[in-house]
Amino acid sequence: MGKYDDTLKDIETTMGLVPGFMKALAEDVLIQDWPLMKKYVFGESKIPAKYREMIGLAIAAATKCKYCTLFHTGAAQLNGANDD
């Protein structure tokens, strides 16, 4: 397996799937961008992941970015958020 295939496998392991927007990126871009995204979006921080994603969702709603809203909704759910 090459670096691109390893990257896709790591994304799927982390997120449960590989989002379409990631598949649309050039292979070399995804290989370089994924480690940064994994570190800063999915990594540990002082703010629990569920709340960090809910903050991202609030910003997405304020900026009316439908793609960001979809992403942060899914990421918040992956981290334990629900409709309540």
Side-chain angles (χ1 to χ4, degrees):
M1 286 178 92
K3 286 185 178 185
Y4 182 70
D5 291 329
D6 291 342
T7 300
L8 292 175
K9 188 173 185 175
D10 189 35
I11 293 168
E12 187 170 2
T13 299
T14 302
M15 299 177 68
L17 57 93
V18 180
F21 76 90
M22 289 183 166
K23 291 177 185 176
L25 293 172
E27 290 183 14
D28 61 325
V29 172
L30 185 61
I31 290 168
Q32 292 180 25
D33 283 356
W34 172 244
L36 294 172
M37 184 173 190
K38 185 176 179 181
K39 179 178 180 179
Y40 294 111
V41 175
F42 297 104
E44 293 294 319
S45 72
K46 291 183 180 186
I47 301 172
K50 177 172 80 172
Y51 299 113
R52 187 176 60 229
E53 293 305 327
M54 292 175 76
I55 292 166
L57 181 56
I59 293 167
T63 60
K64 296 180 177 31
C65 176
K66 65 181 180 179
Y67 306 107
C68 301
T69 299
L70 182 62
F71 175 81
H72 289 289
T73 298
Q77 291 169 338
L78 284 172
N79 286 291
N82 58 42
D83 290 342
D84 292 338

